[in-house]
Amino acid sequence: MTKGFRPVRGGVTIDLDADEVEVLRSMAALVLDLVEPPPERDEFESIVGIGTSSTPPEDPVLARLFPDAYSDDSASAGDFRRYTEDGLRRHKRENAQAIAAALPPRGGGRVTLDLGDAHAWLKALNDVRLVLGTRLGIEEETFEAYLRGEYSVPESEAVAMHVYDWLGGLQETLVQALFGAGSTGRR
């Protein structure tokens, strides 16, 4: 297992083994499969940024990735969604693509990210964890109990729970490396 991200001049770096690369590649693909590109819009809609969706997704995972902005006002939530969801979809896809593009083509290897790509990875790792957590029914209390050994998951979900945990650790080292890169003047 990797030791995590560490700061380097202008960004962060990490050494990944072949299995870790494949997990990250499959998780990026999962987000790309789930988050479809926004639909094509006419010229006016493109100019003013109006989307077509005004209702929350029925899929609980997509509803978690694209939550309502106003839980007590469905009309305002719908208006807000029309102006923001397409952009969110584009950004979530771009962030997942940033992970896939930075990974070594075969096997393991070193991945070095500039600060922009590191932030894209951070956002994409968060999206992947939201997807896995929603599919597994993980809430903060459930996960803490799992870590303490007080909560078990079915064997069929054990690998996904391990990946969820590993991604959380990876995300934590990325945050620490970014803070280190920002606070030590390594830009």
Side-chain angles (χ1 to χ4, degrees), residues 123-179:
K123 294 171 194 172
L125 289 172
N126 187 64
D127 287 342
V128 168
R129 292 190 79 233
L130 286 172
V131 168
L132 290 176
T134 303
R135 289 280 189 243
L136 293 169
I138 297 173
E139 296 178 7
E140 188 173 342
E141 300 81 23
T142 310
F143 187 64
E144 293 298 322
Y146 170 79
L147 291 176
R148 291 189 307 269
E150 300 167 0
Y151 177 81
S152 61
V153 295
E155 192 173 314
S156 62
E157 295 177 356
V159 171
M161 185 66 100
H162 178 71
V163 169
Y164 178 86
D165 185 30
W166 177 72
L167 290 169
L170 191 64
Q171 192 175 27
E172 181 178 355
T173 68
L174 180 52
V175 168
Q176 291 169 346
L178 284 169
F179 178 75

Side-chain angles (χ1 to χ4, degrees), residues 32-175:
L32 290 169
D33 287 345
L34 280 169
V35 179
E36 296 176 355
E40 292 294 320
R41 300 183 293 181
D42 68 32
E43 185 177 352
F44 176 74
E45 290 172 332
S46 294
I47 291 170
V48 295
I50 298 174
T52 58
S53 178
S54 62
T55 58
E58 291 182 22
D59 180 337
V61 171
L62 292 175
R64 184 75 173 111
L65 290 173
F66 304 105
D68 272 339
Y70 305 99
S71 59
D72 58 342
D73 184 348
S74 60
S76 293
D79 286 343
F80 188 82
R81 180 176 302 281
R82 286 180 55 227
Y83 285 100
T84 61
E85 187 173 309
D86 287 357
L88 286 172
R89 284 183 177 279
R90 270 191 300 282
H91 291 299
K92 287 181 184 302
R93 291 183 59 80
E94 289 167 358
N95 294 335
Q97 289 165 343
I99 287 181
L103 294 172
R106 284 191 255 10
R110 178 165 289 166
V111 174
T112 301
L113 306 170
D114 65 24
L115 293 175
D117 284 338
H119 283 276
W121 270 56
L122 192 58
K123 294 171 194 172
L125 289 172
N126 187 64
D127 287 342
V128 168
R129 292 190 79 233
L130 286 172
V131 168
L132 290 176
T134 303
R135 289 280 189 243
L136 293 169
I138 297 173
E139 296 178 7
E140 188 173 342
E141 300 81 23
T142 310
F143 187 64
E144 293 298 322
Y146 170 79
L147 291 176
R148 291 189 307 269
E150 300 167 0
Y151 177 81
S152 61
V153 295
E155 192 173 314
S156 62
E157 295 177 356
V159 171
M161 185 66 100
H162 178 71
V163 169
Y164 178 86
D165 185 30
W166 177 72
L167 290 169
L170 191 64
Q171 192 175 27
E172 181 178 355
T173 68
L174 180 52
V175 168

